[in-house]
Amino acid sequence: MSRGSIRSREEIREAARVVVKVGSSSITGANTEHIAVLVAALAELHGRGTEVILVSSGAIATGMPFLQLDDRPTDLATQQAAAAVGQNLLIYRYQDALRPFSIVAGQVLLTAGDLENPSHRSNAQRAMERLLKLRILPIVNENDTVATQEIRFGDNDRLAALVSVLVKADVLVLLSDVDALYTRPPSEPGAVRIVDVPVGDLLADVTFGDVGAAGVGTGGAATKVSAARLAADAGTAVLVTSATLVTEALAGHPVGTFFTPAAS
């Protein structure tokens, strides 16, 4: 199917190029074993010829225990140190999970400045295109060891949206610890799942909560909506759901919240 032609979650199975983003809380700490479930779902896509890019948070959260940190650091230098340790371990865990499927991962670290600089942007695009043609699975993360507060993406939902635009993905799947977007925080009475978001829907009556309870990530429902709109406006269909439903999401089952893309 051509980009922009995926108009429903059922058509996700037909996508030629998919970007999947997973949050820190879904793959670190007690949820580290979820990496195997995520990788199995990506490997199934890869095995039927779909080009897959994974945008993965988790470097800082993965590095925290090795720096004897109980809480996410707030100062930039310690965040950078935790990311330097954690990124290496995170990629190792992914590659270890990918090995039974004979899939090789390629690490791509980006800063916001890279995607704003035309030369750097072109280099990143060319590198990922080549990785995909070589059947390598690119794993993208923010380059926390060199990013500054002023030029950070702020959350990997936005990074994933920008990557999906960069590579002209058919579908962007944003995974977190919540199964869908709701009209208010899902723990509150009266919260109703948002099934579909048509082009131009501003979700004016929706109330968004803060970062998830795990406290190791930087995104939340509002950042997912902002990222989903960015990607959908550029012609990429978007599905927002939980990491535990990744297999169902990539198979086109009726899960999550679907953002209809604008005509590309």
Side-chain angles (χ1 to χ4, degrees):
M1 301 183 75
S2 60
R3 184 166 180 259
S5 63
I6 293 179
R7 315 302 294 178
S8 70
R9 55 173 55 73
E10 293 80 10
E11 295 173 335
I12 289 175
R13 282 186 56 85
E14 308 303 320
R17 179 172 290 182
V18 177
V19 174
V20 177
K21 181 266 177 179
V22 65
S24 297
S25 62
S26 300
I27 52 153
T28 61
N31 292 328
T32 300
E33 68 274 9
H34 290 173
I35 287 178
V37 177
L38 172 62
V39 163
L42 299 182
E44 199 279 329
L45 273 189
H46 188 276
R48 64 174 185 249
T50 305
E51 294 178 335
V52 185
I53 294 174
L54 175 64
V55 177
S56 177
S57 301
I60 292 175
T62 299
M64 282 166 48
F66 298 90
L67 274 60
Q68 287 77 53
L69 297 173
D70 295 324
D71 300 310
R72 182 184 174 91
T74 56
D75 67 288
L76 183 59
T78 308
Q79 290 176 4
Q80 291 169 328
V85 174
Q87 187 63 37
N88 171 57
L89 291 164
L90 186 62
I91 289 295
Y92 173 81
R93 289 172 182 172
Y94 276 122
Q95 185 58 70
D96 193 47
L98 287 164
R99 191 167 293 110
F101 302 99
S102 299
I103 299 174
V104 175
Q107 179 176 257
V108 180
L109 298 177
L110 298 171
T111 66
D114 291 326
L115 295 186
E116 293 169 359
N117 180 296
S119 177
H120 291 189
R121 177 184 172 89
S122 178
N123 287 338
Q125 182 182 39
R126 183 169 55 247
M128 281 193 278
E129 290 287 351
R130 188 59 179 150
L131 287 169
L132 292 171
K133 296 307 178 188
L134 292 170
R135 302 298 291 154
I136 304 298
L137 197 156
I139 299 180
V140 183
N141 197 358
E142 181 164 17
N143 193 349
D144 289 302
T145 57
V146 298
T148 64
Q149 297 288 7
E150 290 76 19
I151 64 169
R152 300 189 73 155
F153 289 105
D155 61 84
N156 273 358
D157 296 314
R158 178 172 173 78
L159 171 58
L162 291 171
V163 167
S164 73
V165 174
L166 182 71
V167 302
K168 298 181 172 62
D170 300 303
V171 178
L172 167 62
V173 180
L174 297 173
L175 302 173
S176 67
D177 52 2
V178 181
D179 68 323
L181 295 174
Y182 286 79
T183 53
R184 60 180 62 192
S187 60
E188 294 184 7
V192 177
R193 175 190 162 205
I194 302 170
V195 178
D196 294 293
V197 181
V199 177
D201 188 342
L202 300 179
L203 298 175
D205 297 327
V206 175
T207 302
F208 298 118
D210 298 321
V211 178
V216 294
T218 57
T223 69
K224 285 175 176 54
V225 170
S226 177
R229 283 180 173 146
L230 192 163
D233 286 349
T236 295
V238 182
L239 184 71
V240 180
T241 191
S242 72
T244 57
L245 294 173
V246 61
T247 303
E248 292 84 349
L250 296 176
H253 293 181
V255 299
T257 300
F258 183 83
F259 285 74
T260 305
S264 60

